[in-house]
Amino acid sequence: MSSTKLLTLKTSDGEEFKLDEAVAVKSQAIKNMVEDDCVSNAIPLPNVDSKTMTKVIEYWKKHSEEGVSKDQLNDFDKGFLEVHHSVLYDLLLAANYLNDKELVDVICQEVADRIKGKTPEEIRKEFDIKNDFTPEEEEKIRQENAWAFD
Amino acid sequence: MAILLDDEAPIHGDVLETILSHVPLIYLVPASYVSKSWSRAITTSLQCFNKAKPWLIIHTQCTRSPYDISVRAYDPRSHVWIEISQPSIKYVSALRSSHSNLLYMLSPSKLSFSFDPMNITWHHVDAPRVWRTDPIVSHVGGSIIIAGGTCDFEDDPLAVEVYNTETRTWEMCESMPAILKDSAASTWLSIATTRDKLIVTEKFTGVTYCFDPKLKKWAGPYELRPDPRIFHSVIGFSNNRLILIGMIGDAENVTRLKIWKVDTESFECEELGEMPSELIKKLKSETFGVSSISVCLAGDYAYMSKSSELAEEIVGCEFINGGGVRWWSMKNEAAGDGNRSERVVFTCSVIGLGDLQRAMSLGNRKFALKL
């Protein structure tokens, strides 16, 4: 068994994570740094906090495991994404910053699924959004789209 | 739960716009009423991340009373099939389409037609004076043009009439050119409509004529034969592009299928691309070879299949700005259950968020993803 290189990632709140290079390069950003050979010390990730990094690493590790069936991965993803939308948002920002397209797509799809089939009010409740239409604008929308508010 | 102001709202900015690019257009309509910032994010997302793309719409008319029409659509932006339920349209006769999103039914006494993107508005007018079984019917700049397709006992197989929406009457016009005498029906002629002209091409010879409904006159002939080996031609017009689809070989063995862009003044052809051979196979049917393919175009998209009743798979083509064509194929999720008591018509429409908002605001239509 060949020895795999261990990388050290340092999050915004100063915590350090040690990770196999083979797993860490799921992040295109990290992959680029490895290729440019600037990873002798800890890789700083000032835009990601430790709480989010823990989750990202959990996802990377599961998706790097051998002998995991597609069904098992789907089950894992389902559970992984069953979190509050603010957690998803932090994950999305991190995945975007780390440039992991696959993870970005998976999270976007989950949030999109939470929008599908909902009325405007249901969407607002789901994502804690303030309705900033004026009462007149709101009334006009209601009149034209009574179906949407049933 | 605390209600947060826009800047502090958890999901906003380009993250929101990226997420919205994953939401099918039909669900962006309610999402656009969530808040002003969501409405803005949807507009930006549709402009920059994932534009609205032309829908393929499949209308299936039952051939038994009450002749209900069911509608399914494919939205290539999100690769989803949609079930559309809508109010019944009063039956007149067999449903047909001759180009992009024109739908019509013609009986001896009546012509009903619709040409808006979602076929919401139907117009009902008296039938033309000459009875026709298989005419070409087209909508050009507010006029309806009907040509050919007459019965054997009619005097002039090439008769052309134009419906004037102001006087609400049919006017006889210059008949079709005599050379089309034996092929003056929709079976033999392929048509395309620009903003102000009807273009008619004989499928076997490529002989082409143009009709101007304002002058009520024909011009031509033009020869649409960029490759002498073409045995079957189909034309269409969308997004300022007149397209010629030419099949090379013969009905039992189509060896190639090419697409050309045609100049609407000179009728010179410029090759745009060629269909990959593994996709040509999907247009063949065991009984008829490739004798008739169904083609509809809108925007930068074209959808092709073997004659609509039989199509299990659909070949799609996207015209890329700057030249080139992208090909793909997909399963026809609206294919009947092999139940031949149905008439199937394909149309294609550019559907934007505004079109869907207006359609949904009518309150009598439902759109749901077909699962």
Side-chain angles (χ1 to χ4, degrees), chain A residues 84-86 89 92-93 104-105 108-109 111-112 115-120 123-124 127-134 137 141 144-145 147-149, chain B residues 1-5 9-12 15 18-20 22-24 27 29-40 357 360-363 369:
Chain A
H84 190 260
H85 61 81
S86 58
Y89 183 67
L92 200 41
L93 284 178
V104 167
D105 281 347
C108 278
Q109 196 52 56
V111 183
I115 294 171
K116 288 185 203 175
K118 289 194 163 71
T119 66
I123 296 173
R124 285 187 208 120
F127 297 102
D128 301 310
I129 299 164
K130 182 177 185 310
N131 180 358
D132 58 358
F133 287 113
T134 65
E137 286 165 338
I141 294 170
E144 288 175 358
N145 299 278
W147 59 272
F149 297 86
Chain B
M1 206 91 232
I3 306 287
L4 301 162
L5 294 173
I11 301 183
H12 64 281
V15 172
T18 307
I19 292 165
L20 292 169
H22 286 73
V23 177
Y27 297 127
V29 174
S32 67
Y33 302 129
V34 165
S35 73
K36 287 186 190 172
S37 55
W38 269 55
S39 181
R40 279 192 298 264
Q357 284 169 328
M360 291 187 185
S361 73
L362 295 171
L369 285 196

Side-chain angles (χ1 to χ4, degrees), chain B residues 314-353:
Chain B
I314 295 163
V315 177
C317 141
E318 183 187 356
F319 301 104
I320 300 171
N321 273 331
V325 170
R326 180 180 70 92
W327 298 95
W328 79 93
S329 72
M330 60 191 189
K331 186 160 170 284
N332 178 4
E333 297 284 344
D337 312 310
N339 176 3
R340 296 278 184 259
S341 63
E342 284 173 341
R343 207 186 154 76
V344 181
V345 175
F346 284 7
T347 61
C348 187
S349 283
V350 172
I351 305 281
L353 186 69

Side-chain angles (χ1 to χ4, degrees), chain B residues 43 66 128 139 145 149 158 178 205 244 246 267 274 308 319 348 362:
Chain B
T43 304
H139 170 252
I145 306 165
L158 302 161
T205 61
L244 165 70
F267 286 87
E274 182 170 347
S308 44
F319 301 104
C348 187
L362 295 171

Side-chain angles (χ1 to χ4, degrees), chain B residues 166-186:
Chain B
E166 264 144 65
T167 63
R168 297 179 68 79
T169 53
W170 289 93
E171 292 161 14
M172 297 298 300
C173 310
E174 183 188 352
S175 294
M176 285 198 284
I179 195 172
L180 297 175
K181 187 162 82 72
D182 296 321
S183 53
S186 69

Side-chain angles (χ1 to χ4, degrees), chain B residues 110-170:
Chain B
K110 224 163 127 182
L111 171 68
S112 292
F113 60 92
S114 168
F115 51 84
D116 55 277
M118 307 213 71
N119 299 117
I120 291 170
T121 310
W122 280 81
H123 311 267
H124 307 281
V125 306
D126 289 334
R129 298 183 219 170
V130 178
W131 167 230
R132 305 156 187 277
T133 49
D134 182 22
I136 52 176
V137 178
S138 60
H139 170 252
V140 175
S143 305
I144 292 285
I145 306 165
I146 285 196
T150 59
C151 295
D152 287 337
F153 57 81
E154 289 285 355
D155 288 334
D156 182 6
L158 302 161
V160 177
E161 291 174 76
V162 172
Y163 185 76
N164 182 321
T165 45
E166 264 144 65
T167 63
R168 297 179 68 79
T169 53
W170 289 93

Side-chain angles (χ1 to χ4, degrees), chain B residues 42-56:
Chain B
I42 287 169
T43 304
T44 308
S45 183
L46 284 172
Q47 275 167 3
C48 308
F49 287 88
N50 193 3
K51 292 180 164 53
K53 298 182 177 104
W55 288 15
L56 167 66

